[in-house]
Amino acid sequence: MKTDLFEAFRSGPDSGRLRRARLLATCLAMALVVPHIAAAGDYRLGSQDKLTIRVAEWQTVEGTFRDWSAVNGEYTVGPSGTLSVPFAGELPASGKTTSEIAAAIGEALQKKLALSDRPEASVEMAQFRPFYISGEVQNPGQFPYVPDLTVLKAISVAGGIRRNADYGPQLGKDLVTAKGMFDISDDQRIRLIVRRARIDADMAGKASFDVPKEVEGDPRLPAIVADEMTILTADQKALKLKLEALDDLKGVLESEIESLQKKIVNQQQQVDLAQQQLASIGPLAQKGLIANARLLDSRQSVADLQGKILDYETAILTAKQAISKAKQDAIDAQNTLSSSLATDRQQTEADLNEAALKVNMQKGLIAQASDPAMAAAMTNDQQPTLLYSLVRNVDGKTTEIAAKEETPVLPGDVIKIKLAPLASQ
């Protein structure tokens, strides 16, 4: 008897007919070992489905039936839609049937272990992935799936439809919540309207702005306007200080240039005098009346004076470049503020549109929660009309399907139950 990865069962000296009978009996036993939850049929697997897998191999040459105990067991389809089976590896399972998974397991084992005969795999549903229910039920949430489940059965599992007595308090809660969200959204809307007016004034270089007519009279305005005025003043003050600093720098540089130009004039006069002196002692040096050293000193003096003029001219050029940079910095400061304000204006407009939509939505919810007809229907014996729908993943896409009480529910479905709109009385 072999005991490596497998538990071996030998047929002994029985005839071929007896071996076939034993094989048939063993296969039937395998089918009976796994509890038959439901006929899987064409059911497509998905994440969280649990499977019971048994693998067996009939070796024709040895006349031996091997049960793969190292592989047999319960497996769960992972979040990525794959099934991890020992020796077979990661197998794609999402969207496949149990028979397709069984064939894939046998092929993978034969290929990876280089077996002459392909092992036979039996795959049964051990537990379906859960279903979900939300809306007007006593206990919304996640529940284990059972075969032949319908919308009505799922409602029963979730404790039934919410009782009418619960709707009165629920409507009160909904009304309070809607009013609270409305106040938040409306406050944001008003702030954005005032902010937009402040940005427009800032872009125009104005020192103040008028309160928009659409929010006039709101008691929250004084505080909101004060906040935005602080921002407007700070923006303009920062720009003004920067421009003034750059103007001061330009003034200093211009004064320096003027001073350097005067120095150049004085220096040029000294150069002229030195050149005249050099011209007068040149003939004397040629006649030997004065020493050559004095002639050389005069020439060096002229060269030094001319070098200083070049230094002054270089300093003037540097100062002019700094003035040009200061002018460009002033332009950049204004452009940066304008660009920032334009971006803020665009974002504020988008936020304002979103806030307006939220305000309108909350108004609708308040009206619905305050509807006398709905309140009467919820607090009296009148049974509310319910709407059912199923949110189901079909071919990788989420689809919402209208449903009835008798509509079948599949594993992984989300059942949505909501009240039908009531006409005003």
Side-chain angles (χ1 to χ4, degrees):
M1 180 180 296
K2 293 187 178 181
T3 57
D4 46 359
L5 293 176
F6 321 111
E7 181 183 351
F9 297 91
R10 293 191 178 276
S11 60
D14 298 327
S15 64
R17 180 184 300 175
L18 183 56
R19 286 199 301 270
R20 288 193 295 271
R22 285 188 174 184
L23 175 60
L24 178 59
T26 304
C27 292
L28 289 174
M30 287 175 59
L32 293 174
V33 168
V34 181
H36 187 64
I37 294 180
D42 293 332
Y43 171 68
R44 300 290 172 176
L45 299 174
S47 177
Q48 299 186 59
D49 277 333
K50 292 185 178 180
L51 307 174
T52 298
I53 298 176
R54 291 184 65 86
V55 179
E57 178 191 4
W58 172 256
Q59 293 188 324
T60 306
V61 176
E62 298 180 6
T64 304
F65 178 75
R66 291 181 176 178
D67 183 35
W68 291 52
S69 57
V71 177
N72 297 341
E74 189 173 284
Y75 298 85
T76 302
V77 179
S80 60
T82 59
L83 195 66
S84 181
V85 180
F87 308 112
E90 293 284 337
L91 301 175
S94 183
K96 297 184 179 296
T97 63
T98 53
S99 58
E100 290 173 340
I101 292 296
I105 291 173
E107 292 174 0
L109 290 174
Q110 183 182 22
K111 181 178 180 180
K112 291 194 174 184
L113 298 179
L115 302 175
S116 57
D117 296 321
R118 191 181 79 176
E120 294 296 330
S122 170
V123 179
E124 297 283 345
M125 291 299 305
Q127 181 178 319
F128 292 95
R129 60 187 183 273
F131 72 94
Y132 306 84
I133 187 167
S134 66
E136 304 299 325
V137 291
Q138 294 291 343
N139 303 303
Q142 170 185 312
F143 298 92
Y145 180 83
V146 293
D148 301 323
L149 185 68
T150 63
V151 170
L152 183 58
K153 291 179 181 178
I155 293 173
S156 300
V157 171
I161 297 297
R162 188 189 300 173
R163 295 185 299 274
N164 286 358
D166 296 334
Y167 285 112
Q170 183 62 37
L171 284 176
K173 293 179 182 178
D174 292 345
L175 181 59
V176 171
T177 301
K179 285 184 176 179
M181 294 303 297
F182 172 82
D183 290 341
I184 294 173
S185 299
D186 191 53
D187 181 78
Q188 183 183 19
R189 181 184 67 87
I190 293 175
R191 290 182 180 276
L192 290 169
I193 290 174
V194 177
R195 181 183 302 172
R196 182 177 60 184
R198 185 264 300 170
I199 292 174
D200 290 341
D202 209 348
M203 294 177 70
K206 297 180 180 179
S208 62
F209 62 92
D210 297 328
V211 175
K213 293 182 179 180
E214 54 193 308
V215 294
E216 283 182 348
D218 192 285
R220 294 166 288 186
L221 273 179
I224 297 174
V225 171
D227 291 341
E228 294 298 331
M229 276 299 302
T230 300
I231 297 174
L232 176 63
T233 303
D235 283 349
Q236 294 190 349
K237 183 178 180 180
L239 178 62
K240 181 181 179 182
L241 290 175
K242 187 166 187 177
L243 294 178
E244 287 178 350
L246 291 171
D247 285 338
D248 291 342
L249 176 60
K250 288 190 293 183
V252 171
L253 292 171
E254 288 171 352
S255 298
E256 183 179 353
I257 290 174
E258 184 178 354
S259 175
L260 290 171
Q261 288 173 339
K262 291 179 179 179
K263 288 182 178 181
I264 289 175
V265 172
N266 293 333
Q267 197 72 14
Q268 186 61 49
Q269 292 175 353
Q270 293 182 27
V271 169
D272 293 340
L273 293 174
Q275 287 178 338
Q276 291 176 5
Q277 183 180 9
L278 179 61
S280 63
I281 64 175
L284 297 176
Q286 291 177 355
K287 295 177 180 180
L289 298 177
I290 59 174
N292 289 332
R294 184 177 176 185
L295 178 63
L296 293 175
D297 289 342
S298 296
R299 289 177 178 175
Q300 184 63 44
S301 178
V302 171
D304 291 342
L305 292 172
Q306 290 176 336
K308 287 184 178 180
I309 291 177
L310 291 176
D311 291 340
Y312 293 150
E313 290 176 344
T314 302
I316 289 175
L317 180 60
T318 302
K320 287 182 178 180
Q321 290 176 341
I323 290 175
S324 298
K325 185 178 183 305
K327 291 179 179 179
Q328 186 60 47
D329 288 345
I331 295 173
D332 290 344
Q334 293 172 320
N335 290 340
T336 299
L337 179 59
S338 298
S339 176
S340 176
L341 290 173
T343 302
D344 290 346
R345 179 66 161 76
Q346 184 178 9
Q347 184 61 48
T348 299
E349 196 68 39
D351 293 343
L352 184 56
N353 291 335
E354 182 179 354
L357 290 174
K358 289 181 179 179
V359 167
N360 291 333
M361 180 184 68
Q362 298 303 330
K363 283 182 178 179
L365 293 176
I366 291 173
Q368 183 179 12
S370 305
D371 187 358
M374 178 171 287
M378 299 309 159
T379 55
N380 296 330
D381 292 334
Q382 177 183 346
Q383 184 68 23
T385 302
L386 298 173
L387 299 178
Y388 308 108
S389 64
L390 297 176
V391 178
R392 179 175 296 167
N393 190 298
V394 180
D395 296 330
K397 296 181 179 179
T398 301
T399 305
E400 186 165 353
I401 307 167
K404 299 179 180 179
E405 290 183 346
E406 63 273 15
T407 301
V409 177
L410 298 181
D413 281 353
V414 179
I415 306 170
K416 297 173 66 175
I417 303 174
K418 61 182 180 179
L419 293 172
L422 296 177
S424 300
Q425 294 180 346

